[in-house]
Amino acid sequence: MSRDPHRAGAGRLTRTYLRVGIMNEMQYRVNFLMEMVQSLLQIGTALAVLGIVFSHTDTLAGWNRSELLAVIGVYTLVRGLVNMFVQPNMERVVTEIREGKLDYALTKPADSQVLVSIRDVRFWQITDVVVGIVVVVVALVQLRATLQPSHVASFVVMLAVGTVSIYSFWLILAAAAFWLIRINEVQELFNGLYRAGQYPVGIYPSWLKFGLTFLVPLAFAVTVPAEAATGRLSWSAAGIAVAATCVLVGFSRWFWLRGLRRYNGASA
Amino acid sequence: MIATYAAYARVSAQQQFQYRAANYFFMIGMVVEPVIYLVVWSTIARSHGGQIEGFTPGTFAAYYIVWTLVRNMNIVLTPFAWEWRIKEGQFSGQLLRPVHPIHEDLASFIGWKFVVILLWLPIAGVLSLVFRPELSPSLLQCVVFGIAIWGAYLIRAIMQWSLGLITFWTTRVGAIFDAWYLSEMLLSGRLFPLQLMPDWMQRVSWFLLCSASGSPWRSP
């Protein structure tokens, strides 16, 4: 089977859209300050809650205050990555399916899933990424953790795996619009579910833990990278995270293609 | 005016009822948050001999399950919607109508609440089966709760409407709104019962009326 010579490669396409997206965002520099204020307010609230929780206890399901601080840092960091790259694209897909405007993406000579996943970048959400990294570093200093290269490498790998799993989950949610049409509220659903990630999934009852691991992959997105950062991660947990993410990527791809077959478009 | 409110509310309820899946998406997103805190505080209570500041896992379950209703009943037109209205110029059309725009906003959300309450019942049933709440209110307490929850809706709706008016002067108000929301989250009992807060925070909460739109109950 020969490859269409006019079809754009995913790597080159991603770089081009990323560059254009960042240039676009750079025009609105005051937004950086606004996002920074919002990030600081949110982390301030999370720390206040942590303070109140730990004014009543010393450990929460085996996690001490500094370890939970690392979880909050990873939660903020992943939220920044998702808000920067994933959420704006998926919200746009949901709107375009409803309004029948997805045709504009489908008629382009590129893979539809790749194209709809890279068109928007909210670069200033990087403030959450920076704040998240700072909080993780503070937590590690409090834990007096000796930072080994293997911990850093496993943290980075698990962070990438977790972000991909969240992307796949979001793609499934967005593709549900092919059947349900009006699901503008899907972002509220995601934001609500994502909040569960600010605590390690181990504290939840077993049925909820299963749901937050295999249905909504928060365990892989937040808890596993936090375990990697604090040196609590086992090889088996890492293996399960990678395997489950591969399955999720495959399923979301299948679900997207299946949904596309139902799409009529506004001009059809 | 009552007929106007009834008309707006009826249209809104009929419209929202057509989008049950979308409404469930929205409600589940809202319900997850109290469930998280229910699990966190129940875990702490269990590790401290079964209760903390008078709250047992059963009373925490009652607090947060009632809170899922309170949370959904307190959804109002947000200042972010105002930002969109003003930026897109959508407000001009509403100003031309013979009725003040606040009435449409209040009445539409009132209509939506009836759909929300209906859809909330199965959610509350499942949560009660899972978390076993300890709650035995008297008839009078139920009546007072019913009045209080609608009053809380009005207080929050008017507060948020007033806050939204800032968008007439500047449309970049995300940070101001966030500051409001986050303080409200902390001080309204949304994250945890007010009794678990330090004394000074409880006093600030009562002074700022946050608790009026938030805390669904006060323990004796």
Side-chain angles (χ1 to χ4, degrees), chain A residues 31 38 49 56-57 185 192 196 204, chain B residues 22 29 36 48 172 178 191 196:
Chain A
N31 284 3
Q38 279 167 286
V49 172
H56 293 279
T57 187
E185 290 77 3
Y204 297 111
Chain B
I36 299 165
H48 284 74
R172 303 171 80 155
D178 254 13
L191 300 179
L196 297 178

Side-chain angles (χ1 to χ4, degrees), chain A residues 77 96 100 125 134 147 153 162 173 221 228-229 238 253:
Chain A
L77 166 56
E96 289 186 349
Q125 294 286 336
V134 170
L147 216 54
L173 285 182
R253 172 77 181 168

Side-chain angles (χ1 to χ4, degrees), chain A:
Chain A
M1 203 168 73
S2 65
R3 193 172 176 278
D4 181 355
H6 300 292
R7 211 171 161 85
R12 192 160 60 91
L13 211 54
T14 306
R15 279 195 301 277
T16 307
Y17 270 102
L18 194 64
R19 198 173 59 243
V20 172
I22 291 174
M23 280 162 64
N24 206 10
E25 283 272 277
M26 287 292 178
Q27 295 177 74
Y28 306 98
R29 282 173 211 164
V30 178
N31 284 3
F32 170 73
L33 280 179
M34 295 295 174
E35 294 293 345
M36 185 49 96
V37 172
Q38 279 167 286
S39 295
L40 292 175
L41 284 169
Q42 285 176 357
I43 200 70
T45 310
L47 295 180
V49 172
L50 192 71
I52 290 172
V53 166
F54 278 93
S55 69
H56 293 279
T57 187
D58 295 325
T59 61
L60 187 64
W63 292 71
N64 64 30
R65 182 196 287 254
S66 302
E67 287 170 335
L68 266 184
L69 188 63
V71 175
I72 288 174
V74 176
Y75 168 82
T76 307
L77 166 56
V78 175
R79 185 181 63 203
L81 291 172
V82 170
N83 285 342
M84 193 155 51
F85 298 114
V86 181
Q87 197 147 332
N89 285 299
M90 295 299 122
E91 284 173 15
R92 187 168 162 185
V93 169
V94 170
T95 307
E96 289 186 349
I97 292 173
R98 191 182 73 247
E99 295 178 354
K101 290 180 181 166
L102 195 64
D103 307 30
Y104 296 115
L106 299 181
T107 48
K108 290 203 168 83
D111 183 277
S112 62
Q113 185 189 331
V114 171
L115 195 60
V116 301
S117 306
I118 58 173
R119 292 179 295 175
D120 281 336
V121 181
R122 282 189 208 145
F123 185 66
W124 295 132
Q125 294 286 336
I126 201 167
T127 52
D128 263 354
V129 176
V130 174
V131 168
I133 291 171
V134 170
V135 172
V136 171
V137 170
V138 170
L140 293 179
V141 170
Q142 284 183 2
L143 287 165
R144 293 193 177 81
T146 45
L147 216 54
Q148 294 168 4
S150 62
H151 284 173
V152 177
S154 63
F155 171 66
V156 172
V157 171
M158 286 301 128
L159 198 62
V161 167
T163 309
V164 170
S165 68
I166 289 285
Y167 158 74
S168 302
F169 176 69
W170 237 123
L171 185 66
I172 294 167
L173 285 182
F178 285 120
W179 285 269
L180 300 170
I181 310 297
R182 204 199 88 156
I183 52 166
N184 319 21
E185 290 77 3
V186 72
Q187 75 197 64
E188 298 292 342
L189 175 70
F190 176 79
N191 291 339
L193 292 171
Y194 186 71
R195 280 197 197 108
Q198 57 195 306
Y199 292 92
V201 291
I203 72 162
Y204 297 111
S206 51
W207 60 272
L208 194 55
K209 201 186 322 179
F210 179 84
L212 294 176
T213 306
F214 295 107
L215 300 180
V216 186
L218 281 179
F220 305 137
V222 181
T223 309
V224 169
E227 284 178 344
T230 51
R232 296 168 64 119
L233 184 66
S234 65
W235 277 105
S236 59
I240 291 171
V242 173
T245 301
C246 290
V247 172
L248 203 56
V249 168
F251 177 76
S252 62
R253 172 77 181 168
W254 172 81
F255 195 66
W256 169 257
L257 294 175
R258 175 116 199 176
L260 269 185
R261 275 192 250 151
R262 284 186 59 92
Y263 179 68
N264 292 319
S267 54

